Amino acid sequence: KPVAWGYEGDIGPCNWHKYFPKAGGKRQSPIDIDTSATQYDGSFKPLRIHYDSHMCSSLTNNGHTFCMSVNSDQCNLSGGPLEDKYRLLQFHCHWGSDDTKGSEHTVDGHQYAAELHLVHWNTDKFKSADEAIEKNQGIAVLTAFIKAGKEHRGWNHVLSHFKDIKKVQGTSTVNEDFNPKCLLPENQTDYWTYEGSLTTPPCHESVRFIIFKEVVEVSSEQLAQFRSLCVCSSRKRDTGEDEHLVDNFRPIQPLNGRVVKASFQ
Ligand SMILES: Cc1ccnc(S(N)(=O)=O)n1
Ligand SMILES: [Zn+2]
C-alpha cells in the first residue's frame, strides 16, 4: 500500500524521512543558490534541447501537482553538464497559495511564485525511466522559475485542460501541436547546475538539476489557475469547500558542501 505523503502536518516534509529514508540523505533538493558561492565552469558545451511537438501527451492531477507526461522518443536533452543523452518523461510545476511563494529552489534567499520541472531520464545508461529514477546520473531536470507578470500564451495550451483535471486522478489527453520548449526562457545559455534529488518522495539522489537564470513570466490569473486544482476529490466535511492544491514546494535542504556550478561568469 503506497505511503501517503503531503506538504503539511504529520505527512509533511519534516517526516518524509520516516517512510522514505533517502529524504534524509546528504544530496537532497531543493537548495538555495547563493550566487556569491557559485563556480563558473567554462567546460560546459552548449545545452542541446530538441523537443518535437508532434507528441500526444496526457495531463493528470496526481494529487501533488499537475503532470504532463510525454510519450515521444523525439524529445531529447544533452550537452551542457550532461555526459549522456536524456529523454523527456514529463513536466510539472510547484507553486504557492499566493504570488510571494511557490518555487522550490531559491536564489539568494528569494523565492519565486512557481517553478517548472522538465524531467528527463538517461537513455544511454538505463533501459527505462523506472530504473533511471533511482540511479546516480539517471535523471536531469530542466528548471525555470516563474513570476507574476505578463500573460504567457504557451501556458494557455496547458491551462485550457485544467477544467478536466480539477479533481485528483483527473486526466486529459492533449493532442494539439504543443511544444514544451515554449515554456522555457529565451536565454538558455545561462544556468546553474548541481547534483541533487527528487524533491518529492522517494527523494532518490539521482538528479542533475539545470536551473535557468532567466525567469519566465505568466499572469497572476494564470498562476491562480494552477491553484484551482483540488487535492482531495471529496468535499471537506466542515467548510464544504474543496481543498485546493497549493504550497506544493519542499523546504530548502542542506547543501552539505556541494558546489553549484554556473555556465556564465
Ligand atoms: C518524476 C519526479 C518524481 C519526483 N520528484 C520529481 S521532481 N520534483 O524532483 O522533479 N520528479
Ligand atoms: Zn518537481
Side-chain angles (χ1 to χ4, degrees), residues 11 53 108 126 133 150 181 263:
I11 59 170
S53 52
D108 295 332
F126 305 106
I133 204 153
K150 59 184 190 305
K181 203 163 178 189
S263 70

Side-chain angles (χ1 to χ4, degrees), residues 71-182:
N71 56 7
S72 158
D73 52 4
Q74 303 305 313
C75 292
N76 293 301
L77 168 67
S78 60
L82 302 171
E83 290 164 17
D84 298 314
K85 191 160 96 173
Y86 290 71
R87 179 175 305 164
L88 180 62
L89 175 68
Q90 53 105 313
F91 67 85
H92 63 272
C93 281
H94 303 265
W95 59 87
S97 44
D98 62 60
D99 294 359
T100 68
K101 53 185 172 170
S103 68
E104 299 213 289
H105 292 85
T106 54
V107 180
D108 295 332
H110 177 79
Q111 188 173 24
Y112 292 94
E115 184 168 322
L116 167 65
H117 287 161
L118 290 139
V119 181
H120 307 71
W121 63 280
N122 187 329
T123 52
D124 284 346
K125 281 204 166 68
F126 305 106
K127 290 192 289 296
S128 72
D130 285 346
E131 182 192 356
I133 204 153
E134 49 185 70
K135 301 284 195 329
N136 185 34
Q137 296 187 336
I139 299 292
V141 176
L142 272 191
T143 300
F145 293 117
I146 295 173
K147 67 179 180 186
K150 59 184 190 305
E151 184 187 6
H152 191 297
R153 311 286 293 280
W155 267 106
N156 288 334
H157 289 288
V158 180
L159 293 169
S160 60
H161 294 268
F162 270 35
K163 54 192 173 308
D164 305 331
I165 63 162
K166 216 168 143 48
K167 297 291 180 211
V168 178
Q169 305 319 339
T171 183
S172 165
T173 304
V174 179
N175 280 319
E176 76 243 34
D177 254 9
F178 170 70
N179 190 327
K181 203 163 178 189
C182 75

